[in-house]
Amino acid sequence: MVAGEAVADLQTSRRERERGDGRQDELLAKLTVAQLLRKGSAAYVRQFAGSGACPQVQSTLAKLSLCRTRALGGKQYQCDGCGDESEVYHSCGDRNCPQCSGRKRYDFAARAEQLILDKVTYYQVVFTLPSNLSELALANREPIADLLFASAWKSLRKTIRGQQDYDPASMMVLHTWNQRLDSHWHVHALVPGAGPSLSSDDWKEAEAPPETANSDGYYLVKAEALRESFRKFAIAHLKRLYKKGELKLSGKFAPLQDPQVFKEFCDKLESVDWVSFIQPPPTKSSSAEQVVRYLTRYLTGGPISDSRITAADSKQVTFLAREGVRTGGEREQVPVTLQTTEFIRRWCLHIQPEQLTKTRYFGGWSNNKRTKYLDRCRRSLEAIGVTHHRESEDGSIGERCEEESTIPCSKCDHPSLRLIGEIPKPSWDKLLNHLHDDCPDWYAESDYKELCEYLDREYGIGYEDWYAECAVESAMKRPPVPPAEQLYFAGMCPNTDFMLESF
């Protein structure tokens, strides 16, 4: 946990302590996302065990329930001014945690801002999978994520190269939810509206064709052509996955195991319009950093923020979701009320495998091309009189961390607190063992049950019998080990009575 997060934790705990117990009723009336997950995980796992509560989901919820608690250890600070002592507990570090990963978001924003050049217009392009493919993705997260990323980039590259004749680049972030927390797979792409020309050494900006009625001055490519290309690449990729047998088809999608049914499924996908839209900067003063900050907001922490929750307790959750369109084109926010277990189930739909990369770079921004591509862009811009002077407003990551390393006392406003002790963070293997005292009760129960099933399945012996045998065997008195004996070569024996026979 970085120092900035420690400051936030320390100040929050101070404020809650000063307000006293009078705020307990209010906190119970409106829980945060982290509190909802912590309080409702047991009921959720017991209700959806075997269906929605897979081992990875349970492990994630268990980590979140221990986040910033005494079980994870932490640091103890003392104020040199008033002598007050404060504790800041370690965070779980899980990318799904609503109260963690601030450093990861900052690092992402810092890297993304290094790609942005002056005097270049940047567009946000969104590619969305149809609803039935979003449902299929729940059992095929990694292959469908690869399909979505690859199809979106191929359609962007083909359309930009063909219509605008410059070398494209893109940064994409995967989102898997809509405002109601249902499965809704789409990627947000940050795309420069200019780049090095493919046919010359000049700098090329995207231009609208003469027949296009373009009143605001922003144009990237034809949206219709982009959508058609995206649909074509995605369906071709889906067919390849099916042919290789890399799709898990069960439950609702079990009939797709029949090749004829799968062909009809693909024909239906080809007959519907796919959603992809290009969003230019909202105003002339808008910057690419605003898009980066929007993408950073949901990079970690789950699909919903605390600000959208209007009321929550142990039984029900009410949150705001955009639905419908007002006059003028703005979407209206309406309250949505769910049972707490259903809210947690929907939230858990968006826990992705650890090996699934949610942020990817393509084209000129890919890892193996980035340096040369940016150098080429700068040279092309300098040739037309544009010099790159961008500097990070917040300074480097190291400078910012150094500035935040000094924690002020929130009680007496002393400039800094002194670190007087630290308890290291234990391993998750130790904490999430059902025999550990700090393991959540519901997770210990689930872990114990899973272990019993494993032993019964693999060895035909119950856990109680196995544990009893291990305990008895370890307690058995072993025979004493005889002392080691030193062997000597003839003539080298240390016995003084040994004499060589003389002839």
Side-chain angles (χ1 to χ4, degrees):
M1 180 173 63
V2 298
E5 294 179 355
V7 174
D9 286 350
L10 188 59
Q11 293 175 345
T12 300
S13 61
R14 292 285 192 183
R15 287 194 297 267
E16 292 179 353
R17 189 190 312 168
E18 292 170 0
R19 289 170 183 170
D21 297 333
R23 280 182 47 84
Q24 293 301 317
D25 294 338
E26 181 181 345
L27 290 175
L28 290 174
K30 181 185 175 182
L31 301 176
T32 64
V33 175
Q35 290 171 328
L36 283 168
L37 296 175
R38 185 178 293 114
K39 292 177 178 296
S41 293
Y44 161 74
V45 170
R46 292 189 180 100
Q47 181 175 345
F48 293 99
S51 57
C54 66
Q56 183 192 353
V57 169
Q58 295 186 40
S59 174
T60 300
L61 291 176
K63 292 178 181 178
L64 269 54
S65 67
L66 296 177
C67 182
R68 304 191 184 186
T69 64
R70 188 179 296 274
L72 294 186
K75 298 180 179 180
Q76 187 175 16
Y77 296 90
Q78 185 177 45
C79 177
D80 291 332
C82 63
D84 186 66
E85 296 184 3
S86 302
E87 291 183 344
V88 178
Y89 301 128
H90 292 309
S91 60
C92 66
D94 193 280
R95 68 178 180 180
N96 300 286
C97 182
Q99 54 186 6
C100 276
S101 304
R103 177 60 179 265
K104 293 179 182 178
R105 291 191 289 270
Y106 178 78
D107 289 351
F108 166 78
R111 289 194 303 269
E113 289 179 2
Q114 296 303 315
L115 305 174
I116 297 172
L117 301 174
D118 292 327
K119 306 301 181 182
V120 177
T121 302
Y122 292 85
Y123 297 82
Q124 182 182 191
V125 186
V126 181
F127 297 88
T128 305
L129 292 179
S131 58
N132 46 8
L133 277 186
S134 290
E135 293 179 13
L136 181 63
L138 294 177
N140 302 273
R141 296 174 186 267
E142 292 182 68
I144 296 298
D146 293 340
L147 177 152
L148 178 53
F149 276 111
S151 303
W153 167 243
K154 288 179 180 179
S155 59
L156 266 176
R157 181 181 60 184
K158 177 182 178 181
T159 310
I160 291 177
R161 290 170 69 96
Q163 295 185 16
Q164 300 295 350
D165 189 41
Y166 69 80
D167 193 6
S170 179
M171 175 186 68
M172 299 185 186
V173 178
L174 173 67
H175 289 180
T176 62
W177 57 82
N178 58 15
Q179 288 277 301
R180 288 179 170 268
L181 308 186
D182 295 317
S183 182
H184 183 71
W185 284 54
H186 58 285
V187 291
H188 292 260
L190 180 67
V191 183
S197 175
L198 294 173
S199 56
S200 65
D201 294 332
D202 299 332
W203 181 256
K204 182 73 169 58
E205 294 187 359
E207 298 178 352
E211 66 274 10
T212 302
N214 187 30
S215 58
D216 58 6
Y218 294 114
Y219 185 86
L220 184 62
V221 292
K222 292 182 179 179
E224 296 82 4
L226 188 64
R227 284 194 291 268
E228 293 176 2
S229 181
F230 173 52
R231 177 179 59 187
K232 177 181 177 182
F233 282 119
I235 294 177
H237 195 133
L238 183 67
K239 291 180 178 178
R240 289 196 297 271
L241 291 174
Y242 182 81
K243 185 177 180 180
K244 294 179 181 179
E246 297 180 0
L247 291 177
K248 296 178 182 178
L249 303 174
S250 59
K252 174 182 176 180
F253 296 98
L256 295 182
Q257 297 177 12
D258 185 342
Q260 181 59 35
V261 177
F262 180 78
K263 181 179 180 302
E264 296 173 357
F265 178 76
C266 293
D267 292 341
K268 185 177 180 180
L269 290 176
E270 293 177 351
S271 65
V272 299
D273 292 331
W274 288 42
V275 178
S276 66
F277 66 91
I278 304 169
Q279 181 181 8
T283 63
K284 291 289 185 181
S285 60
S286 299
S287 64
E289 285 88 346
Q290 292 175 326
V291 179
V292 171
R293 284 194 290 270
Y294 172 78
L295 298 179
T296 303
R297 189 187 313 165
Y298 294 110
L299 184 68
T300 59
I304 187 172
S305 61
D306 296 338
S307 60
R308 284 177 52 199
I309 297 179
T310 59
D313 55 29
S314 59
K315 296 181 179 180
Q316 288 186 331
V317 182
T318 301
F319 59 93
L320 296 177
R322 290 194 298 269
E323 183 178 278
V325 180
R326 294 178 183 153
T327 304
E330 296 182 0
R331 300 181 67 184
E332 183 178 6
Q333 282 194 327
V334 298
V336 177
T337 301
L338 299 174
Q339 296 295 320
T340 301
T341 53
E342 173 62 16
F343 173 85
I344 297 177
R345 186 194 71 83
R346 294 194 187 187
W347 191 92
C348 290
L349 290 178
H350 312 291
I351 296 177
Q352 304 302 333
E354 289 297 330
Q355 60 271 24
L356 192 155
T357 305
K358 298 175 65 176
T359 304
R360 307 186 189 185
Y361 300 84
F362 298 93
W365 288 350
S366 58
N367 293 333
N368 58 340
K369 298 180 181 179
R370 184 177 304 160
T371 302
K372 293 183 178 178
Y373 177 81
L374 291 176
D375 289 342
R376 184 183 174 193
C377 289
R378 294 187 181 99
R379 289 195 301 269
S380 299
L381 286 170
E382 289 174 357
I384 59 175
V386 178
T387 305
H388 181 73
H389 294 296
R390 180 176 300 277
E391 295 182 358
S392 176
E393 298 178 358
D394 298 327
S396 66
I397 297 175
E399 292 174 353
R400 174 163 178 165
C401 290
E402 186 176 356
E403 293 175 359
E404 292 180 343
S405 60
T406 301
I407 304 177
C409 179
S410 59
K411 186 174 182 179
C412 68
D413 294 330
H414 193 271
S416 64
L417 298 180
R418 178 166 47 89
L419 180 65
I420 61 174
E422 181 175 3
I423 301 176
K425 181 178 178 180
S427 67
W428 287 117
D429 288 341
K430 179 180 180 180
L431 279 175
L432 299 185
N433 186 292
H434 67 276
L435 297 176
H436 197 280
D437 293 338
D438 291 321
C439 182
D441 293 340
W442 62 267
Y443 189 81
E445 178 184 337
S446 177
D447 183 59
Y448 173 81
K449 181 179 179 182
E450 182 181 351
L451 178 59
C452 291
E453 293 175 351
Y454 169 78
L455 292 173
D456 186 62
R457 181 176 63 252
E458 297 295 329
Y459 301 102
I461 184 173
Y463 174 77
E464 299 293 344
D465 296 334
W466 172 82
Y467 186 81
E469 287 184 11
C470 292
V472 170
E473 182 179 354
S474 62
M476 288 176 60
K477 183 177 180 181
R478 299 183 181 276
V481 179
E485 296 182 3
Q486 178 67 51
L487 301 179
Y488 297 94
F489 291 106
M492 301 293 292
C493 179
N495 190 343
T496 57
D497 295 334
F498 179 84
M499 297 180 62
L500 293 175
E501 183 179 355
S502 59
F503 294 94

